[in-house]
Structure formats: C-alpha cells, structure tokens
Amino acid sequence: QKFCGQCATPITRRILEGDNRERDVCEACGAVHYQNPRLVVGTLPIWNDKILLCLRAIEPRANTWTLPAGFMELGETIGQGAERETQEEAGAQITLGKLYTVVDIPHVDQVHVYFLAHAISPDLDPGPETLEARWYGIDEIPWDNLSFRSVSTTLKHYLREREIGHFDTHHYSLFAANRPGD
Amino acid sequence: QKFCGQCATPITRRILEGDNRERDVCEACGAVHYQNPRLVVGTLPIWNDKILLCLRAIEPRANTWTLPAGFMELGETIGQGAERETQEEAGAQITLGKLYTVVDIPHVDQVHVYFLAHAISPDLDPGPETLEARWYGIDEIPWDNLSFRSVSTTLKHYLREREIGHFDTHHYSLFAANRPGD
Ligand SMILES: [Zn+2]
Ligand SMILES: [Zn+2]
C-alpha cells in the first residue's frame, strides 16, 4: 500500500527498532501496517462414495474443477468458514468431519485448510462463483483439469486413506511451480 | 481503516454486489480492502521431559508464561514461522515435530497453530519480547499463570497423550470468555 489507512499520509517502508523485516510504517501517526498470510478454508464433501467438485466461474483458474473453498472471514472459525464456502459455492448441505489437510503455499502467502464432510442430501445449488457443481465418482475425477495443487493432493490423500478406512490430518507445504494458479 | 491505502481517499463501508458482508471500499479507485483472520504459529519444545515456557515481556498478558509463538509472516510456511518464533522468543534450537493443535479464537480473529518440537540443546537465549525462558518439569507447569487458553489446552493435550505415547493433531475452537487476553 502507498498511504496510511489511518491518516492518509504516504507510507514509509523500513525496519522498525527491535524488528527484523521491512514494514509499511506511517511516520505521521505511528501506525504500522502489518501484512500476514491468509487462510483459505474448504471441504471435501462426500455423498454415496461420490466427491463434490465445483467448476470455477472466476479467476484464478476459471473453468477448472475445485473443492469448495475460499478466504476465511473475520469472526468465524475455520470450520464455519469451510461450511459457509461449501454453501455459497455449491449450495451443498453438509456435516463437517475431520480437519483433513493443512497446506502451506508460501509463494502466494496462503495456508489452505480442508475438512472432510458428509453431504446431508445430494442437492446442489451453485452460487455465482461456480459454473457447475457436480458429484464425481471416484474413477471420474478430472485429474487433468483441477484448479490447485492443494485440491489434487487433498483428493489423493482421501483416495489413498479411503482404501485403508483411516483418515489422519495431513500437513505439508507446496512450493512455487511453473503452473499458473498453483 | 479510514483511508484507501492505494489513493488516500476516505473509505466507504458497504456491501458489494454479489457479496454478503460489509467491506472497506474505495469509491475513487475501486480498491476493496479485505480483512482476514491472522495465524499465530508456535511450538511446544521438549528437552529431557521438560517443556519450554517463556515469560512474556509485552502485552497482552505481560508477566505470564507462554509457549513460544507469534504472528506468521509473509513468505513463510507455518512450520518456518513456528521455528522462527521459537528462535526469536527463546533462542532455542529445535527440530520441528508434528502439527499438534489448531485452535480457532474467533472473537480475536486469530487461529493459533502449535507444533510439537524437540530441542537440540537446552541452551536458551531469550529475545526482547521475553523476560525469562525456562525448562519446566511436567509437575512444575505454572497453570495459574499461563498466558492464553490455546497454551493451556495445548499443554493439557500433550500431558495426556504423553501418558499413552501417541500424539494426534487436535482442532478445536475457543470462544469468548471473561478472562482478558484469552
Ligand atoms: Zn498514519
Ligand atoms: Zn482508493
């Protein structure tokens, strides 16, 4: 940012005393404008051995399939955010299950979090950010047209653990790759 | 905030078309200034059955004992942030273990994340945000002078699972309480 959100003075970028990295500082009012990574929260919803995917209507990665997910909002828990995004993007009614994947994506300053979820009914009602919401059979997943690596890796963990019938929480990091939108 | 960080025009607070909550919007340049919850990342470091706690030098909750933790920075993973905070606050050299607790604290718009960790040596070198860093025996933990509920609950999970020798990742939410600093 260029101006102080508190007093509209142009921002200075410098290292504060006792700190070790550059911050956006306002020399007029003393405000320090910190920036922090953002949480993206979503679900892997299941109905009768099928997985819910949403065809993205918006950039990044429009026209690719994703699990329902979006930025966590103020005042909510990660579970509430994940449920809200599932409702907004797919119109799906779910019961939230286990915290399933926690995925660092440091080159875009995001942490993606997915919960397992069970749908209460197969009814879907996609919102404006979704072109189509659809239940995919295990063998029908469009692997070559998924939106993000956090989605494909979460799906792969699920398919592997579904075989053994035991689901753990997974934490891992995805680093920069050439593919846009990763 | 009161002014646009991009163009210094006074901010309008309103619901955008297709959105469902109020945002800080700049009618001059079109910028939308989203606000999102922040991640606090830390560790539960172990050395010879002792647990590292830090006496906070700063508010909130100065003069209470905490696990080393702090706000996640841009460009890092949650694990890197947790290691950095452990180094900065306690001067402890650690090997990071399992992602251990993920704790929603929606009334302060934070998510706290703690990793298990093993110290490489017992040497400590507290930074400016810490009055004292100390290895506490299991029976010495100052339960009535801990900083945050995310700290006390993480310690309780650890002490319980230490008995059975198996550590799971735990996700839970802490809601508003009367105690300041929670
Ligand atoms: Zn200012
Ligand atoms: Zn503006």
Side-chain angles (χ1 to χ4, degrees):
Chain A
Q1 63 186 84
K2 297 176 193 143
F3 301 95
C4 175
Q6 296 307 309
C7 76
T9 300
I11 285 294
T12 305
R13 197 154 174 81
R14 68 178 173 90
I15 299 175
L16 295 165
E17 202 185 315
D19 200 350
N20 50 25
R21 61 181 72 202
E22 288 195 331
R23 309 286 181 189
D24 289 337
V25 181
C26 176
E27 309 292 357
C29 77
V32 183
H33 302 280
Y34 291 97
Q35 290 180 280
N36 301 91
R38 291 196 289 175
L39 278 156
V40 170
V41 291
T43 62
L44 191 166
I46 305 295
W47 173 260
N48 275 0
D49 276 341
K50 289 178 185 259
I51 295 172
L52 175 60
L53 294 176
C54 299
L55 189 61
R56 289 175 64 83
I58 55 168
E59 295 297 340
R61 303 284 294 155
N63 275 295
T64 60
W65 293 91
T66 189
L67 293 167
F71 287 111
M72 186 181 178
E73 299 276 8
L74 296 183
E76 67 187 7
T77 65
I78 54 175
Q80 288 166 346
E83 275 194 85
R84 177 184 50 72
E85 288 291 343
T86 305
Q87 172 60 45
E88 287 178 6
E89 297 194 351
Q93 306 292 333
I94 55 161
T95 302
L96 217 59
K98 192 186 189 76
L99 172 65
Y100 193 52
T101 54
V102 177
V103 189
D104 294 302
I105 311 177
H107 59 287
V108 293
D109 296 312
Q110 294 177 5
V111 178
H112 291 198
V113 171
Y114 286 95
F115 287 81
L116 297 180
H118 280 276
I120 298 166
S121 91
D123 297 346
L124 300 174
D125 178 18
E129 299 187 0
T130 303
L131 293 172
E132 184 186 351
R134 188 183 142 182
W135 295 105
Y136 273 97
I138 298 301
D139 300 326
E140 300 170 333
I141 291 170
W143 292 106
D144 52 2
N145 198 29
L146 295 177
S147 299
F148 305 108
R149 281 188 292 163
S150 65
V151 170
S152 57
T153 52
T154 296
L155 288 170
K156 280 175 190 165
H157 280 297
Y158 176 74
L159 294 182
R160 195 187 66 249
E161 293 191 319
R162 179 179 174 278
E163 294 293 318
I164 54 174
H166 177 80
F167 299 97
D168 265 325
T169 302
H170 302 275
H171 167 239
Y172 50 98
S173 304
L174 298 173
F175 296 99
N178 290 325
R179 213 178 103 186
D182 265 341
Chain B
Q1 64 186 82
K2 297 176 195 144
F3 301 94
C4 176
Q6 295 307 308
C7 77
T9 301
I11 285 293
T12 306
R13 197 154 173 83
R14 67 177 173 91
I15 299 175
L16 295 165
E17 202 186 315
D19 199 351
N20 49 25
R21 61 180 72 202
E22 288 196 330
R23 308 287 179 187
D24 288 337
V25 181
C26 176
E27 309 291 357
C29 79
V32 184
H33 303 279
Y34 292 97
Q35 290 180 281
N36 301 90
R38 290 196 289 176
L39 279 155
V40 170
V41 290
T43 63
L44 191 166
I46 305 294
W47 172 261
N48 275 0
D49 276 339
K50 289 179 186 261
I51 295 171
L52 175 61
L53 294 176
C54 298
L55 189 61
R56 289 174 64 83
I58 55 170
E59 296 296 343
R61 304 284 296 156
N63 275 296
T64 60
W65 292 90
T66 189
L67 292 168
F71 287 111
M72 185 181 179
E73 297 276 10
L74 295 185
E76 67 187 8
T77 65
I78 55 175
Q80 288 166 347
E83 274 193 87
R84 177 183 51 71
E85 288 290 342
T86 306
Q87 173 59 44
E88 286 177 7
E89 297 194 352
Q93 305 292 333
I94 55 159
T95 302
L96 216 58
K98 192 187 190 76
L99 171 66
Y100 193 50
T101 52
V102 177
V103 189
D104 295 300
I105 311 176
H107 58 287
V108 292
D109 295 313
Q110 294 178 5
V111 179
H112 292 197
V113 171
Y114 286 95
F115 286 82
L116 297 180
H118 280 275
I120 298 165
S121 91
D123 297 346
L124 299 175
D125 180 18
E129 300 187 0
T130 304
L131 293 172
E132 183 188 351
R134 190 183 141 182
W135 294 105
Y136 274 97
I138 298 300
D139 300 325
E140 300 170 333
I141 292 169
W143 291 106
D144 52 3
N145 198 28
L146 295 176
S147 299
F148 306 108
R149 282 188 291 162
S150 66
V151 170
S152 58
T153 52
T154 295
L155 289 170
K156 280 175 191 166
H157 279 298
Y158 175 74
L159 293 183
R160 195 188 67 247
E161 294 192 318
R162 178 178 174 281
E163 295 293 318
I164 55 173
H166 177 80
F167 299 96
D168 265 325
T169 301
H170 301 273
H171 166 239
Y172 50 97
S173 304
L174 298 173
F175 296 98
N178 291 325
R179 214 179 102 185
D182 264 341

